[in-house]
Amino acid sequence: MADPASTAARREAVLQRVQQVLLAVTEDLADAVASTADEDKKARLANALYKITRGLRQSIYLEAKLEREDAEAREAAVQRAISAAEPRIVRRRAHIESRIERRIWDEYDAGDDDESALGDELIARAEEWLDEASEAEGFLDESLESLVGRLCAFLGLHLDPATEPRNLERHAAAPAWPNSS
């Protein structure tokens, strides 16, 4: 099977050459039409000029169509990759959210109205952080411990090494997601 990149390059080179030839013939025919006094010959040359310029226009439109199709194919490939990653992102987010909610309710009493409101606010901030983080490049590549640690640090939550996985404290010192404030 031919390499798509080399096929596209070859196609582009052929179209450019066809356009060059048609443009040269168009210019020659236009000069011939302008310099001919014989009306019958002028009509035949004008008809040939029309046919040649039609071919030139078609080659230009074909090139534009192929470029659009290539761009659409690239966009479709990106969308397929995003769709394939989406279930993994959803699972990862759910795992992080459950761990963060557990940490929040370990620190804040859901029965106390003030602490409950603060816990709800922290959960909302965590969801905003996760919205941004899950769209960032590398979200699926970074370890869960690192993401949970950075989110805890962002929210100002205390990390208890006895209840959290090893190495979580090390990640808590890392800055929040790059665009989070």
Side-chain angles (χ1 to χ4, degrees), residues 108-123:
Y108 298 96
D109 182 8
D112 181 322
D113 288 342
D114 291 336
E115 286 193 2
S116 181
L118 185 54
D120 289 338
E121 180 184 329
L122 288 174
I123 288 172

Side-chain angles (χ1 to χ4, degrees), residues 14 25 28 31 41 46 49-50 54 58 64 81 100 102 108 114 116 132 144 146 148 160 162 169 181:
V14 168
V25 171
D28 289 346
D31 290 343
K41 186 176 179 182
L49 178 62
Y50 169 77
R54 183 171 187 267
Q58 286 178 333
I100 290 300
R102 191 170 346 127
Y108 298 96
D114 291 336
S116 181
E132 188 173 329
L144 283 171
S146 175
V148 170
D160 182 3
E169 284 184 327
S181 51

Side-chain angles (χ1 to χ4, degrees), residues 16-92:
Q16 286 178 352
R17 181 65 183 138
V18 166
Q19 289 171 2
Q20 289 171 347
V21 168
L22 289 174
L23 186 57
V25 171
T26 298
E27 290 170 350
D28 289 346
L29 281 172
D31 290 343
V33 169
S35 65
T36 300
D38 181 1
E39 292 300 318
D40 188 43
K41 186 176 179 182
K42 188 177 270 207
R44 286 192 315 271
L45 288 171
N47 188 35
L49 178 62
Y50 169 77
K51 290 177 182 177
I52 294 295
T53 56
R54 183 171 187 267
L56 179 59
R57 287 190 314 271
Q58 286 178 333
S59 72
I60 291 169
Y61 293 141
L62 175 61
E63 182 179 34
K65 178 185 178 210
L66 293 172
E67 286 175 2
R68 273 192 317 276
E69 287 175 354
D70 286 346
E72 289 169 359
R74 285 190 302 274
E75 178 63 25
V78 166
Q79 290 305 320
R80 281 192 304 274
I82 289 171
S83 294
E86 199 165 297
R88 291 176 51 216
I89 291 171
V90 169
R91 283 192 307 273
R92 178 164 274 220

